[in-house]
Each structure stands twice: as C-alpha cells, then as structure tokens.
Amino acid sequence: MKVLLALSPLTQFNTPYPSTAYLTSYLEKLGHEVNQIDLGLELILKIFSKNGLKEITKIIRKSKVKDQLLDFYLDAHQEYENNIDAVISFLQKDESPLIQTIIERQTIPEGPRFIPLDDNQGGVLDLYNDLSDKDKAKHICSLFMDDLADIIRQGVDEDFGFSRYAEKIALSLTSYSPIYRRLKKKTIIDEWIAELTKASLQKFQPDVMGISVPFPGNLLGALRIAETTKQVSPNVKVLLGGGYVNTELRSLEDPRIFDLIDYITFDDGEKPLEHLLKFIETGDGPLLRTMYRKDNKVTFVSSPELFDIKFKNLDAPSFKGLEMNRYVSMMDNMNPTQRLWTDGRWNKMILAHGCYWKKCTFCDVSLDYIGRYEPDTAMGVVDKMEKIIQETGVNGFHFVDEAAPPTLLKAMSEEILKRNLKVTWWGNIRFDPYFSAEVTELMKKAGCIAVTGGIEVASERVLKLIDKGISIEKVAKVTKNFKDAGIFVHAYLMYGFPTQTMQETIDSLEVVRQLFKKHYLSSAYWHRFALTAHSPVGMNPDKFKVKIVPQKKPEHGLFANNELPFTEEKFVDHDMLGVGLRRALYNYMLGQGLDMDLRDWFDERVPRPKVEINF
C-alpha cells in the first residue's frame, strides 16, 4: 500500500519533527511504500521567497487596515523581495559570500525587531558584539524574518506564527465549532497549504494520507490538508494521529471532524497503523486504539488481543525524503541554550518510551506515552545514531524524551566514547542526583552540550505536592555539576500550582536568581500551571484544594478535553506575578539585574523573599 505521511504546519523549520520518521521506518519494514513530507517546511519556503512576498505585498496593498508596520513594509517591500531568497539560502547553508555585507546592515530593511539591538535593550548589543561574523549575520537575518512574520500576522493572517498556526483557536477547544468556522475562512496561507497538499498528492499518488498533529498549533494546518485531500483525491483514506490527538481527543464525541478524516489513531502509531492499513486493504480485521465514525456516531475500537511492539525492538527512525539541507536555521535569540531550538540541524530521537519517574502531579502520567516506561539499550541507541548519521549526514542529536534515564545516558556516553563516535547532543532530563560530577563529565566527553529539565517550583513544600522527587539542594548540586562540566542548563519553571502562595512564588524567583548568579542555569522559561484531565491533580482535584469548573456540553458533543478551568480557595494574582517573573528572567538570561531587589520587577507590591541572600 502507498502511504504518504505528512508533518502538518507549523512545528519547527530548522529540523524535522520525528513522528513520521519513526512510522516510516516501521511501515517500510512491513513492505509498504512510504513517503514523508514536511508541509510546514514547504509552506515556509513558499511564503519566504521572492514570489511569495510579491503575493503578500499585493494582499497588503488591497487591505484597508491602517497600520504603521504595514506602511513601513509597503515602503520597503522591494528591498524585502530582493533580499529574501539570499537570506533563506544563507539560513539553509550557514554560509554566504554576503556575510560582511549583511553585518554592515546596509542592504536588509530593518523593522521594529531591530529596536532592542539599536537601543542596546538589556545589553543585547554587548552580546551581539561578542558573536562571530557568521552568527552576527545569522542574527540579522533572523530579525529580518521575525519582522516579516509580524507583517504577515498583522496584514495577511492573524493566526500565522513560525512554530504554530491558529494555536489560540485549538487551545482548550471543547467545541469543534470554532475550528469548523475557521476552516470556512481562507487566507492566502490556507490556500498555499492546499496548493502544497495537491502537489504532494500528485507527486506521490498515495492510497493513504497519514497526518501528524504534535501540538495545538498544528491542528488547523492538519485539517486543511485533510480537507484538500478529500476534495481532490476522495478515494484516499485520511488518518490523524500525534501528540495533540493523544492528549486532547480521547473523549471525542463530535462526529463532524470525520467529514475530513477517516480514522484517528492514539498513542504509539506503529501497531495501530499496521492493523489499520490491513483493515483498509481487506475491509476486515481487528483494530488497535482506532476511532472512526459509524452511523454518525464516534466509535472507538481496540481489540484486547493486540499490543504494542517493545520500544527497544523498533528500528532507528528514517528521515528519508526530509532533506536536511532544505531546513532553515534561525538565531533570533542570542542565549546559547535557547538558540538550540531554532538553530542547527538535529536528528530527533527517543532514548526511552515514557518517563522513568512518572509521578509528577501536574503531568499527564496516566497516558501511555508517559506512563509506560520502556528504555532502549545503550548499544541499541548508538547503533541507531550511526544509522541515522549515515542517512542524513548530520551528527547532531536532540533526545526528545520526557526525561532521559540517567543510567542509560551514562551507558550511552561510554558506548559513544568506546566507538570514538564524533557527535553533538542534548536532551531533556530530570535533575536526578545520579548526575554526579563524574557522570556529567563523561557526558560532556561524549558530546553533550546542553540539558533541559523541570525545576518547576523552587519551594520545598510545593515540590512535595508536585511529587517531583527532588529538593532545591539537589537541584543546585546537579546544575552545578553540569555547569562545571561545561554543559548548558535550561530549566522549566512553573508558577500558579494549586495552593502556591505569592510568598512561595517570590521565594522561587529568589532561588532562580541565585542559580543564575552562580551560572548554574544558562536559560529558563516560566510556565503558568495548567490543570489537565489526565494528571493526578485533574483526576483528584479535592486533594489539591481546587474545584473544576463545570463546562456546558457543546451542541454536537465534546471535541477536545485536556486543559480544565478551575478555581482555588484563596485568590493569588498569578497574572500580575507572571509579568514580573518573565521580566526578571529575561534580564537574568542576559546577565542583567542579578543584584537588583527582585521586588522591583513587579508592577505591584510583592513580599520580600524569605530565602537567605546566600542560600
């Protein structure tokens, strides 16, 4: 059977997301003819081209919107159109004879995104001056691209974003109606997605179109692909799967989505697709974790005799067809850790299925992709790395685990060194005490350049509520070990956890300030707590002193069900705190304001931290 697997717009465009790569590897082994395409990348390359910008210019000219940014673009549109192809080429190849011209800042038009650089806001000019000429040019080109994205969002399609499309519609989408209405409205971006889908169908002539939807910001693009497929190739079966589906659509009742798609599969896709393709081919046979419409009702089928393949028995993901040299790197953020997400080519891989800790009370630990823990072996991991390097020509790896197992990272590092394999890698961890000075030094020798992990809340009481299994003291020791080994550390931080007081939030910020001052952290990000249906908090709200707010059932039945609105016994102004937390963190990452009274970051009065100044 001919299968086309599509990554839906927009995820990221410096490197391919691995969902279709794992499925391609598995389905090819079964004898299917499989092709994969990244329609997010194709869309970016279509928009950000001379012809694409000419179309953008025509639309803005016809628009009646009065806006200073759009007026600036229309005055400078010729320079944008004349420079865009050279900019994209440079960001793809990481080399250009125009580097010196670019950093002289004479040819590329400069919009609002350049203001922080010109005004040296937060000391960004000092960071810029420390860059190599190549990185300076990359930063200039990235700001140029960011300006264009703002222009497109302002004058062409308000839903556009580099790493998401119409995300605000898909977030907490209990009713299908908002996305149903949005599908009827077509901007040039929607038309281009449809055009690229038609070209892909023509090129590959599939029997089945499988669409990966990793995040909420991929849903509209995925449904636009499905809609186009049904219009131009009605006999092609359309399948939907991915992270968004796994977390949001498990309680789906509204059958209208099946006007565009035929089947939805949940959790790991290998075995569900194996049986579904047999079912499509023969019209009979058992199905695993598959949803479809029958008699205008949503039906879920999962035969108990079917089960998943062991994770360590899966082959390496295959990125065949996803040409790495066409991906576009950007460096709009000069923080060395944060730029990893948008800059460089990375082969994305998983070391272990699920999470070895799987206890955090804010996390969806009841779902299979977290709750079923199955690690690979060190030899298996490195075998797969070598195979992927041979296929892609790229020796950089991003391990996208929930939390990479420390013992496996140690054994993998030893295996990499044993084989004298020259690789660069980074990934997500838990700040486990296992990461001693010896282990972190070993990881560095084996090519580790950065780790990301959740500190969440730097408050002992709330850490116990979260069941993180770490203490502030352990976090400090582990992050110090990574820092001493020369490995960058990015921390995920959380505020607004149930019962968390303003004092505890301020104390958390003080701990974070000290970690930055010691250089144990190189970057971080504050997340507002969200209560999800599949987390221990969502399943047992009384224990955490929250009340879930009942929601009116949509007319056609429930669509997505993940983030739940809730109320707490005591009100804390988390919105106000969030502004100050982000302001402080932005400056800490630039090395600024580390000796300021942290209360000065907030617009309203907050308490003095109770954490000792030299804690």
Side-chain angles (χ1 to χ4, degrees):
M1 185 170 285
K2 294 172 73 174
V3 180
L4 177 59
L5 299 175
L7 287 165
S8 50
L10 287 151
T11 308
Q12 63 182 117
F13 52 91
N14 67 308
T15 203
Y17 194 77
S19 54
T20 60
Y22 274 100
L23 295 174
T24 295
S25 174
Y26 185 77
L27 295 178
E28 280 193 330
K29 197 174 179 182
L30 296 177
H32 296 287
E33 181 184 330
V34 187
N35 289 288
Q36 57 185 327
I37 187 164
D38 188 340
L39 286 173
L41 174 65
E42 300 303 324
L43 177 63
I44 288 293
L45 295 180
K46 188 168 188 67
I47 296 170
F48 295 96
S49 65
K50 188 168 188 174
N51 289 336
L53 291 191
K54 283 181 180 293
E55 290 298 314
I56 296 292
T57 302
K58 287 179 189 174
I59 292 166
I60 293 174
R61 280 196 190 283
K62 291 178 184 176
S63 170
K64 295 180 181 178
V65 176
K66 295 298 178 185
D67 183 86
Q68 192 174 355
L69 178 61
L70 300 184
D71 290 341
F72 166 79
Y73 174 74
L74 290 177
D75 288 341
H77 76 91
Q78 200 69 59
E79 289 95 328
Y80 277 105
E81 292 164 15
N82 290 341
N83 281 285
I84 188 62
D85 289 340
V87 166
I88 290 292
S89 177
F90 169 52
L91 294 176
Q92 286 176 318
K93 298 173 184 174
D94 205 24
E95 58 183 34
S96 169
L98 302 175
I99 286 176
Q100 196 58 42
T101 306
I102 293 169
I103 63 176
E104 287 171 0
R105 299 176 62 181
Q106 298 298 318
T107 57
I108 290 178
E110 298 186 359
R113 291 285 186 152
F114 286 82
I115 292 172
L117 191 59
D118 290 330
D119 293 351
N120 196 23
Q121 290 179 9
V124 295
L125 184 58
D126 300 326
L127 294 174
Y128 174 81
N129 287 333
D130 288 339
L131 298 175
S132 67
D133 283 355
K134 184 186 287 187
D135 280 349
K136 285 178 183 175
K138 185 176 284 188
H139 185 60
I140 294 294
C141 289
S142 300
L143 296 178
F144 170 85
M145 293 283 286
D146 284 336
D147 271 332
L148 279 172
D150 293 340
I151 289 158
I152 291 167
R153 195 160 40 248
Q154 191 70 20
V156 178
D157 190 331
E158 65 180 357
D159 294 320
F160 179 76
F162 277 139
S163 59
R164 58 189 62 85
Y165 186 46
E167 182 184 61
K168 64 183 179 183
I169 300 175
L171 287 170
S172 306
L173 193 63
T174 54
S175 170
Y176 182 64
S177 294
I179 204 86
Y180 180 80
R181 290 191 294 269
R182 178 59 179 82
L183 282 163
K184 295 185 179 304
K185 171 191 167 188
K186 289 187 173 66
T187 68
I188 188 69
I189 305 299
D190 297 283
E191 291 171 10
W192 280 339
I193 294 172
E195 191 178 306
L196 291 165
T197 303
K198 290 174 189 175
S200 301
L201 291 165
Q202 175 113 29
K203 179 179 179 180
F204 296 111
Q205 299 287 310
D207 303 305
V208 170
M209 166 76 90
I211 309 171
S212 176
V213 192
F215 307 108
N218 303 118
L219 180 62
L220 178 62
L223 294 180
R224 189 68 72 195
I225 294 166
E227 174 190 62
T228 306
T229 302
K230 284 299 176 189
Q231 287 171 352
V232 302
S233 302
N235 294 326
V236 172
K237 296 296 182 186
V238 179
L239 322 179
L240 210 64
Y244 175 82
V245 169
N246 296 338
T247 55
E248 304 266 355
L249 302 188
R250 304 185 89 89
S251 305
L252 176 67
E253 298 170 337
D254 192 332
R256 290 179 293 170
I257 192 173
F258 292 100
D259 293 340
L260 306 181
I261 61 172
D262 296 287
Y263 301 97
I264 297 173
T265 64
F266 291 87
D267 300 324
D268 291 1
E270 287 84 1
K271 277 293 181 177
L273 281 181
E274 176 183 343
H275 293 287
L276 180 54
L277 293 178
K278 284 181 187 174
F279 182 84
I280 290 170
E281 206 164 17
T282 65
D284 195 18
L287 295 172
L288 178 64
R289 297 192 302 272
T290 300
M291 194 178 274
Y292 57 94
R293 180 168 60 186
K294 184 178 180 181
D295 300 327
N296 205 36
K297 289 186 178 179
V298 177
T299 302
F300 178 79
V301 177
S302 192
S303 298
E305 70 269 19
L306 302 180
F307 50 87
D308 290 292
I309 189 169
K310 289 285 185 186
F311 177 73
K312 66 182 179 182
N313 294 333
L314 289 174
D315 283 343
S318 171
F319 295 91
K320 181 192 75 170
L322 303 177
E323 302 166 66
M324 287 289 192
N325 60 2
R326 297 183 69 237
Y327 281 83
V328 180
S329 286
M330 281 178 60
M331 200 188 95
D332 44 9
N333 192 314
M334 288 181 283
N335 182 285
T337 313
Q338 297 227 328
R339 66 182 280 191
L340 291 173
W341 277 275
T342 59
D343 189 13
R345 307 281 183 268
W346 305 104
N347 302 308
K348 289 182 181 281
M349 257 184 82
I350 304 170
L351 298 174
H353 184 284
C355 176
Y356 75 97
W357 181 249
K358 57 185 178 185
K359 293 180 183 179
C360 298
T361 55
F362 63 85
C363 188
D364 293 334
V365 294
S366 66
L367 297 183
D368 179 81
Y369 81 96
I370 294 174
R372 179 165 56 88
Y373 173 61
E374 290 181 3
D376 204 336
T377 65
M379 287 186 65
V381 168
V382 183
D383 285 345
K384 289 166 187 173
M385 290 172 74
E386 290 186 322
K387 186 174 181 180
I388 292 170
I389 291 170
Q390 191 172 13
E391 181 185 73
T392 65
V394 171
N395 68 348
F397 288 83
H398 179 196
F399 299 117
V400 293
D401 296 69
E402 295 301 312
T407 53
L408 179 54
L409 285 176
K410 179 176 183 285
M412 180 193 80
S413 297
E414 291 170 339
E415 187 68 21
I416 288 171
L417 292 170
K418 178 182 170 183
R419 300 190 196 189
N420 198 29
L421 186 63
K422 303 301 180 187
V423 289
T424 300
W425 53 274
W426 60 294
N428 201 48
I429 63 159
R430 177 174 164 267
F431 290 114
D432 195 302
Y434 186 88
F435 291 113
S436 63
E438 179 188 17
V439 171
T440 54
E441 187 62 38
L442 178 70
M443 290 167 61
K444 176 66 176 179
K445 287 177 182 175
C448 180
I449 58 170
V451 292
T452 63
I455 295 176
E456 318 307 352
V457 179
S459 157
E460 295 294 358
R461 184 190 74 85
V462 184
L463 279 173
K464 287 176 184 174
L465 270 179
I466 289 176
D467 202 2
K468 192 74 185 174
I470 57 176
S471 66
I472 299 172
E473 182 182 353
K474 289 175 182 176
V475 165
K477 287 181 177 179
V478 170
T479 53
K480 179 183 187 300
N481 290 338
F482 279 115
K483 176 254 185 180
D484 289 347
I487 295 171
F488 292 122
V489 178
H490 173 88
Y492 298 110
L493 305 166
M494 182 190 296
Y495 66 101
F497 191 82
T499 74
Q500 184 180 5
T501 65
M502 183 179 289
Q503 182 69 61
E504 286 169 328
T505 300
I506 296 302
D507 288 348
S508 290
L509 178 58
E510 173 58 18
V511 172
V512 169
R513 183 193 70 81
Q514 293 186 29
L515 289 169
F516 270 99
K517 189 166 184 181
K518 289 284 189 181
H519 304 290
Y520 298 171
L521 295 182
S522 49
S523 79
Y525 186 82
W526 287 106
H527 295 263
R528 174 77 174 267
F529 168 77
L531 192 157
T532 60
H534 313 291
S535 69
V537 180
M539 293 186 291
N540 191 6
D542 291 344
K543 180 180 177 182
F544 297 89
K545 299 181 180 179
V546 298
K547 290 188 184 300
I548 295 172
V549 178
Q551 295 174 277
K552 184 180 177 183
K553 194 164 186 178
E555 178 187 354
H556 298 277
L558 189 65
F559 181 63
N561 181 40
N562 185 39
E563 187 174 337
L564 304 174
F566 68 97
T567 58
E568 295 185 74
E569 288 180 3
K570 293 183 179 179
F571 173 77
V572 176
D573 192 347
H574 296 302
D575 291 335
M576 181 276 293
L577 288 172
V579 173
L581 293 172
R582 289 189 292 273
R583 188 181 290 149
L585 197 58
Y586 172 80
N587 283 278
Y588 294 166
M589 287 192 290
L590 292 171
Q592 307 288 323
L594 287 163
D595 293 315
M596 277 176 54
D597 186 327
L598 58 77
R599 291 174 293 178
D600 292 342
W601 299 116
F602 297 88
D603 294 327
E604 296 181 25
R605 188 175 180 178
V606 298
R608 181 192 301 273
K610 291 184 176 179
V611 178
E612 292 179 14
I613 196 84
N614 61 348
F615 177 70

